[in-house]
Amino acid sequence: MSALALSVLLSFVSAVAYAGGAVVQERVADSCSGERFAPLRRPGWWAALGLNGLGGVLHVVALAFGPLSLVQPLGALTIVFALPLAALFVGRRAGATAWRGAVMATAGLAGLLSLVGASGAGSLGPAQRTALALVTGGGIVALMVAARAAHRHPAVRSVLLATGAGAAFGMSSVFTKTVAVDWSAGAGLAGLPSLGVIAVLSAAGVFLSQSAYRDGGLAAPLATLTVVNPVLAAVVGIVLFGETFRHGTTGTVLALGCAVVTGGGLILLTTERLGGPAREASPSDTVRVPGARWPVDPSAPALTSVDAEPAVEGDDGDTPADPRPLPDVPLCA
């Protein structure tokens, strides 16, 4: 098997592992929506972390055998694998709009990155790595601050967090490719600082994606993450590794069209999430009134003294009711 074919195979398996981890991670986040650190006590969360780790290892090996412009677009298959996995294992079926959005996002992204011409094995200098790490960290922090400011809009907050996760994962791939090139050239311990950057970015990506799934479900955050990750890596490849669009001006126009298709697919996924049917109230949806001895159903009509039957002095029906209005008193002491 050639190195290129092995890279493609590893990228496919990596996408399946990432998709499985995303489905499990979103499931755990949904069941622990009211507690910040509750997922850490769930075995499912650690299983999702293991799947993400497996996907990451396979991704690293794929980067060692293939170019960045080939391995990264294959990562877009994550969202294609995630939708059937969610339907198969957790019974969460995606609608027609989600499928159209997934197909559009994946096709547009694959077309966009397929137009990027692969360059030779190149690495980044120490100054470039430092600048790239600082810019990436600043951008992720800015997205986190914006997400915190948008806490009243869960969908917007979810997309912002997913964008930060995609940026973290994408730049982690850039540093991984750099370390792989250094090791193949016999650089030895020179790549240790880059390994630390990879660890920090990977951890940030995991926790940001966890928060994004908790606020926005699976489809829109995963679509955002899947698009931002390879696009950002491709931009770095073009700017720093000397990669260019193929076919000159024609390739640039085609790349712009693919970017529009990708954005349209992402909008479809987000629209389905925002326009989904509201959850019906259940008997367990109760609130507790301060001072009350039992929960109160918020859907039940409020009781007042006007609704109460007039009091009587006796139980034989001979004494007329007191015509004076009853005072407003609390129903529950």
Side-chain angles (χ1 to χ4, degrees), residues 1 90 93-94 98 104 111 126-127 148-149 174 179 201 210-211 234 242 256 266 292 317 326 328:
M1 180 182 294
V90 300
R93 301 186 181 277
M104 288 178 61
R148 185 177 181 85
V174 172
V179 171
L201 290 176
Q210 176 74 43
S211 299
L256 181 60
L266 181 59
L326 294 175
D328 289 332

Side-chain angles (χ1 to χ4, degrees), residues 2 37 62 90 191 199 215 223 229-230 232 242-243 247 268 276 279 283 294 299-300:
S2 66
F37 298 105
V90 300
D215 292 333
N229 178 348
L232 184 59
E243 297 179 350
H247 312 302
L268 285 178
R279 185 176 64 89
W294 57 82
S299 62

Side-chain angles (χ1 to χ4, degrees), residues 238-254:
I238 292 171
V239 175
L240 298 180
F241 291 150
E243 297 179 350
T244 57
F245 289 115
R246 298 171 181 170
H247 312 302
T249 304
T250 303
T252 303
V253 174
L254 290 175

